[in-house]
């Protein structure tokens, strides 16, 4: 086992919009460990994503991938097949909720908004993992699929249907672990605390949420420090996690473990 020496490993990193994207920080860390990368971006953000890719430690190619477009998924698989013929891992860092599915509209959200959010934010993990499974199965280190979720066991005011999509994502990951495990492919999620990104700006209660984490996390939390989750993502993408699958690993300063809001917040020295 080579641990975090990822020289020669090959990864697809989805969900890069700009240098604030969690995926961008994961990409930079993977490169620092020696890994080769292809990034993917989506729609109008592709141009900005190329600029962000140019700011990585090493330049990386960006392919366009709308996860709801079967042709795009097939093209991405073909491109990686042509380029490498194998894949050691993929980061799924993709989510979208229509505006009427978040922000307190829970009781009125129409079916098509709920369905669209589910497709992009949860079902997409199945499309990505199933499409890439033949390449991931050829990894000599065991292929790894990693996604980013939140603590979906509790409600977060304003997060609404996104909370439902994330609970679905957790279940999709477990079923993928069941069906892809026999091919040597692991599927795990990181439940991240709140980080300042473009997507986070779409959550009206983000400020209150981030404040709660920063106040109550036993280990502390800082909404501007993406490195708080990156190490856990790398662990799951590397073969240090060779026998771990179907797992949700919390990278949240410990907030999931406590009932914050009672008594005094932790006093850190
Ligand atoms: N920022 C946070 O506080 C936080 C906390 C927990 C989990 N997450 C999750 O982390 C992941 C990354 O989000 P982020 O915060 O880095 O924000 P971000 O806006 O940088 O990334 C979200 C990505 O989803 C992509 N996307 C949306 N629709 C797509 C589609 N149809 N096809 C392909 N890609 C599509 C966007 O292009 C974007 O790159 C998401 O799953 C998000 O829910 C974020």
């Amino acid at each position: 086992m080579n641990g975090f020496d990822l020289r020669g490993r090959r990864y697809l990193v989805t969900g890069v919009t700009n240098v604030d994207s969690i995926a961008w920080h994961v990409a930079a860390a993977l490169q620092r460990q020696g890994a080769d990368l292809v990034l993917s971006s989506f729609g109008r953000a592709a141009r900005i994503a190329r600029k962000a890719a140019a700011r990585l430690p090493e330049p990386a190619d960006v392919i366009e991938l709308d996860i709801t477009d079967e042709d795009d998924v097939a093209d991405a698989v073909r491109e990686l097949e042509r380029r490498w013929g194998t894949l050691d891992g993929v980061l799924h860092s993709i989510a979208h909720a229509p505006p009427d599915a978040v922000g307190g509209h829970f009781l009125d959200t129409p079916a098509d908004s709920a369905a669209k959010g589910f497709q992009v934010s949860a079902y997409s993990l199945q499309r990505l993992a199933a499409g890439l499974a033949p390449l991931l199965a050829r990894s000599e280190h065991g292929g790894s699929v990693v996604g980013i979720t939140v603590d979906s066991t509790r409600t977060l005011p304003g997060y609404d249907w996104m909370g439902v999509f994330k609970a679905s994502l957790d279940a999709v990951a477990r079923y993928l672990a069941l069906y892809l495990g026999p091919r040597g492919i692991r599927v795990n999620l990181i439940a991240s605390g709140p980080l300042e990104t473009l997507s986070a700006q779409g959550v009206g209660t983000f400020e209150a949420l981030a404040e709660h984490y920063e106040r109550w996390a036993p280990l502390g939390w800082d909404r501007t420090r993406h490195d708080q989750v990156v190490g856990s993502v790398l662990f799951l993408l590397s073969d240090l996690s060779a026998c771990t699958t179907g797992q949700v690993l919390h990278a949240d300063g410990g907030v999931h473990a406590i009932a914050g809001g009672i008594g005094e917040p932790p006093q850190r020295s």
Side-chain angles (χ1 to χ4, degrees), residues 2 6 16-17 19 31 34-36 48 53 83 85 91 104 117 124 158 187 198 229 248 250:
N2 291 320
L6 300 179
V16 175
T17 293
V19 296
Q31 284 189 339
D36 294 324
I48 310 168
R83 200 178 272 243
L91 176 70
S124 59
V187 185
L198 202 60
V229 302
V248 177
H250 295 266

Side-chain angles (χ1 to χ4, degrees), residues 38-61:
V38 167
L39 311 183
S40 83
S41 183
F42 158 65
R44 281 176 297 175
R47 198 174 49 82
I48 310 168
R50 289 203 169 83
K51 282 191 183 159
R55 291 177 61 185
L56 286 168
E58 302 284 335
D61 290 340

Side-chain angles (χ1 to χ4, degrees), residues 22-34:
I22 295 173
W24 188 90
H25 289 266
V26 171
L30 283 170
Q31 284 189 339
R32 282 195 289 271
Q33 303 311 128

